[in-house]
Each structure stands twice: as structure tokens, then as C-alpha cells.
Amino acid sequence: MAAASSSDYDGCGAESNEASSKWLDAHYDPMANIHTFSACLALADVHGDGEYKLVVGDLGPGGQQPRLKVLKGPLVMTESPLPALPAAAATFLMEQHEPRTPALALASGPCVYVYKNLRPYFKFSLPQLPPNPLEQDLWNQAKEMSLPSVPVFLEVSGQFDVEFRLAAACRNGNIYILRRDSKHPKYCIELSAQPVGLIRVHKVLVVGSTQDSLHGFTHKGKKLWTVQMPAAILTMNLLEQHSRGLQAVMAGLANGEVRIYRDKALLNVIHTPDAVTSLCFGRYGREDNTLIMTTRGGGLIIKILKRTALFVEGGSEVGPPPAQAMKLNVPRKTRLYVDQTLREREAGTAMHRAFQTDLYLLRLRAARAYLQALESSLSPVSATAREPLKLHAVVQGLGPTFKLTLHLQNTSTARPVLGLLVCCLYNEALYSLPRAFFKVPLLVPGLNYPLETFVESLSNKGISDIIKVLVLREGQSAPLLSAHVNMPGSEGLAAA
């Protein structure tokens, strides 16, 4: 059934009516019973007749009864069961002669199934069969690349035989970037939250995170921008309009919005009756620019981009911003400025040498201080791989009684830590601790363990001092790591 399923907004936030909307509502079926995500959607001319079909790796209701569905327009043309839940779907050309009908590759369970003319053609099981001798060298180059964690999103650009870049978002919250000639990651992007999507737009990597935000990075890991979303990001995909050379990012949110961004500029907002869980944009049927969405309840939404639609950043303003035409109030050159310029011109070499000398001395002192901190375990983060620990302290209260909370964390990936002790060293003339010695329980990797005690200030003059916190292993005198807690002055005693 066809119905007006949603409304859209332009970049400046004003609601568009049906006449000025950028999208045509082609189809909406809330009972389509399609449960999938963006990686399991593919648009391809699977029959070679010039009419593109939608291939869906359907998870089924509640993750039961997975099926491979092929849609023509709003109707399901073919449907076949799958042995396991689908993970991804992609189309590729495997023939050299005309007509070149694309084949379908579907990852399901431990296997990759290849369909030709929508019929099972090949099954690739893991662990893989011995490769073809002609491809052995390529596989050897590929398997030499290693990542520190399990990848969940991959984004590849370039050609394998010439030059390529591979960006992998992993389960440890980092994004690793590899090149063709590198066995290990060349760059690493550390995220503050887990990634939920990874899209490449031209030379920018756009990452969605569980902190409800989009981030833009270069291929060298430099952050370019961040955009905060009004709700959690459920799915992401690329919108590419070839006729206008437009590439943008589509993000489906939990509040029922689909937002379209070019870099950090909002181009369009589409409101849907239900939260969108998968997005796909491309040629469908005989329309070049078709947006296909499936919802959390299993609904199907098809929208067509109008041929006259134009995405403009920030609404209808075209051209340079008004601030570009404003003249700057540049002050006049003073006599002091001229004298200083002449001095720098005459003594430029000596000034540069003095600056370089001071810079080298600063680096040397910083390296010495860092080495001393590592040797004496003065860092709150363990520097050894055998004891991967992290410690930080929080002081609460106005005084004279403070609450000291020590947060100890095992930063390893799989190995628990046992047999640790925590000791507090302090000036007994200034403070009193009823509990200055802790026996740490078993530290499970990734969990934060708070250890609490109370600090009583004994000075009536508002004097504060440092409390040293040491983490030791039973039977060893050298601490594993330490932290210096700067105690605040007791405001309660000062007021009294």
C-alpha cells in the first residue's frame, strides 16, 4: 500500500510542506515483516534487465526464521530460507562477458553463500579451503595484517594491486587504519565510546558512537568535527547522488528521525512513524535516487528524491557567508612594533637557536621526569604489561571529615588480577584515617572497583597536605603504581 509515511525538514529547521519537500512518498507498509540492518541491504540488477531489485538478508521476527528476500517495487518477488542469521550482503561482478549480471554474496553464520541469478552457486566455509595458487601471494599479503582487537566495521578505499587504505572499527573502541604496505596499523583513533557505524565520505571517515554523536576524522586520525545527535544512533549509511556529485551521511535515530549530513552541516531531516533500523540509497527499479528504510517494527518505507531537489547547507543561503565581506579593524603599526620587527630580522638566527636550545632542554627534563616516574611507580597508570592497572582518587566533603574514594581498574582484556594491597601514607599530625590499608579483591578485567575510606582533618588552622596512595603486590616492597591526592583545606574548621 502507498501512503504518506513521513515528513522532512530542511537544514534550517523549518518544516516543509508536500509541495516543497525534497522526497516523494512512494510506498509505506508497516506490516512488511522485514527485520534487518543496513549491512544486509543491497541494490542490484540481479537479472540483467536494467531494473534494479532490493536484496534483503532478513533476520526474521525475533531473530527466528532468517530468509533471503528479493523485492521488486513494493512486493516480495522471491524468498528462500537461510541456515543461519545473515551478517552482510554485497553484490559483485564475476563474469567478463556481456551481459555482466552481478552475483550476490551473503554472509550467514560461518559461511559466505554466493548466488548467481538468485540461485545458490557457491558456498565458502570457514576455515577456508586452500586458496588458488595464483591467489596465494595476495592472500599471504592480506593475512599478514593484524589488528589488536576484533573488527566490527570495515571501510576500504583504493585498489588492492595499486594502493589502498583499510579502516577498521574494533570492539575495544578504537579505529585502526592500515595501508597496503603495512603489516600493523599505521594510525589509531581512540574513541571515547563504542562505535555504531563507520562511513567514508570522500577523504573523511565519519564515525557514529554510543554517545549519540557523529565524529569526522582524517585518514591520519586527526579529528575534524563533532556533531551531537538528539537521540541514539541506530544505523548509518552513505547517500551518494551521482548526478550532482553529492556524498552525505544518513543516520537513523531512535526518536524516529533520519538525519542527512554533509560534514557537520545538516542538509535534511526526515521524520518516520517508527525508528529506522536500516538505510539504503541508490538505484531501485528505474529510479536513480531512491531511499529505502526498514523500521524497528518490520515496516518498509520507500521514498524517491525529486529530480529538482537540491541540498543546501544551512537552508536557502547560497554563496560566501556575510562575515567574509566585513573589513577587519587592523590597528596601525606603532614605533615599538617597527623596532621589534627590525630586531627580529637582524637577530633572527640567534633567536631561533636560543629557542631550539630551550626546547631541547624542556624535552630532556620531561623525559627524565617521565623515566623517574616509571622507575619509582609514581604514575597512576601501570607501565608494565604484567600488571595492567589504573588508579584514580576522588575526594568529597567540606571538612573536617572527607570521604576518599579510590577507583582501581584492571585494564587487561582477559586476565584477572589477584593479591593486591592498597596503602595510604599521610602526615599523622594533620590527618587521621580509620582505614589506611586495603586488601583488594579479585579484579575482573574492565570493571571499576571503588575502595572507600574517611579522612579526618586534625589541624584547626586550615592546613592541607598530600596523601600518597600506593598499590602493592603481596610479598613485594616496590609499589606497582601510586597516586598523590591533594587534600583540600577544611572549610568546616575555617568557618568554626
Side-chain angles (χ1 to χ4, degrees), residues 21-44:
S21 173
K22 295 179 174 61
W23 303 92
L24 296 174
D25 296 318
H27 177 72
Y28 173 49
D29 184 6
M31 307 299 292
N33 196 25
I34 297 178
H35 304 271
T36 187
F37 43 91
S38 299
C40 291
L41 295 180
L43 293 170

Side-chain angles (χ1 to χ4, degrees), residues 22-23 241 246 260 262 267-268 305 309-313:
K22 295 179 174 61
W23 303 92
Q241 189 180 7
L246 171 69
I260 303 175
R262 178 165 55 191
L267 301 182
N268 191 236
L305 184 64
L310 180 64
F311 292 110
V312 179
E313 300 178 7

Side-chain angles (χ1 to χ4, degrees), residues 169-379:
C170 298
R171 290 180 179 173
N172 61 356
N174 295 338
I175 298 176
Y176 299 97
I177 300 175
L178 301 95
R179 301 184 64 176
R180 182 179 185 272
D181 55 350
S182 60
K183 298 180 181 179
H184 302 284
K186 190 174 182 63
Y187 304 102
C188 175
I189 302 173
E190 296 184 359
L191 303 177
S192 57
Q194 290 293 327
V196 296
L198 177 64
I199 303 295
R200 180 180 60 86
V201 181
H202 297 298
K203 296 184 178 180
V204 178
L205 291 175
V206 182
V207 185
S209 70
T210 54
Q211 290 182 337
D212 307 343
S213 57
L214 286 178
H215 308 277
F217 295 92
T218 66
H219 281 286
K220 293 186 178 181
K222 180 181 178 182
K223 180 182 284 189
L224 300 176
W225 48 264
T226 298
V227 177
Q228 193 66 31
M229 299 289 107
I233 301 174
L234 300 182
T235 184
M236 294 173 55
N237 213 334
L238 178 67
L239 184 150
E240 187 170 9
Q241 189 180 7
H242 297 282
S243 59
R244 299 187 183 276
L246 171 69
Q247 282 192 352
V249 174
M250 303 181 293
L253 308 183
N255 62 352
E257 291 183 355
V258 175
R259 293 190 164 221
I260 303 175
Y261 286 90
R262 178 165 55 191
D263 292 334
K264 61 179 180 179
L266 178 62
L267 301 182
N268 191 236
V269 179
I270 302 173
H271 290 265
T272 57
D274 193 5
V276 173
T277 57
S278 68
L279 295 163
C280 186
F281 184 87
R283 182 179 176 86
Y284 187 42
R286 299 187 182 275
E287 289 290 338
D288 289 329
N289 302 311
T290 305
L291 175 60
I292 300 173
M293 301 173 280
T294 64
T295 64
R296 181 180 291 167
L300 174 65
I301 302 173
I302 301 177
K303 301 174 77 69
I304 300 175
L305 184 64
K306 292 182 178 179
R307 291 179 174 85
T308 58
L310 180 64
F311 292 110
V312 179
E313 300 178 7
S316 58
E317 296 181 0
V318 181
Q324 184 172 330
M326 296 177 59
K327 293 185 178 181
L328 298 177
N329 187 16
V330 181
R332 297 180 60 185
K333 296 181 180 179
T334 62
R335 182 64 184 176
L336 177 62
Y337 172 80
V338 175
D339 294 342
Q340 187 73 8
T341 304
L342 293 176
R343 188 182 72 87
E344 292 178 358
R345 184 181 302 172
E346 295 173 356
T349 304
M351 294 173 64
H352 178 71
R353 289 175 180 173
F355 169 76
Q356 290 292 331
T357 302
D358 294 341
L359 180 60
Y360 290 147
L361 289 176
L362 178 62
R363 291 175 177 173
L364 178 61
R365 292 169 183 169
R368 286 176 177 174
Y370 180 66
L371 178 61
Q372 182 181 1
L374 293 180
E375 292 177 347
S376 56
S377 299
L378 295 179
S379 173

Side-chain angles (χ1 to χ4, degrees), residues 24-101:
L24 296 174
D25 296 318
H27 177 72
Y28 173 49
D29 184 6
M31 307 299 292
N33 196 25
I34 297 178
H35 304 271
T36 187
F37 43 91
S38 299
C40 291
L41 295 180
L43 293 170
D45 183 11
V46 293
H47 292 119
D49 55 358
E51 187 166 355
Y52 279 60
K53 316 299 191 300
L54 174 64
V55 181
V56 181
D58 191 1
L59 305 178
Q64 304 294 329
Q65 299 178 351
R67 306 184 73 83
L68 175 63
K69 298 181 179 180
V70 179
L71 280 74
K72 179 180 180 181
L75 303 177
V76 177
M77 187 173 63
T78 61
E79 186 175 352
S80 57
L82 294 175
L85 292 177
T91 58
F92 64 98
L93 296 174
M94 58 184 300
E95 296 177 349
Q96 298 296 330
H97 58 275
E98 297 292 339
R100 303 184 67 186
T101 304

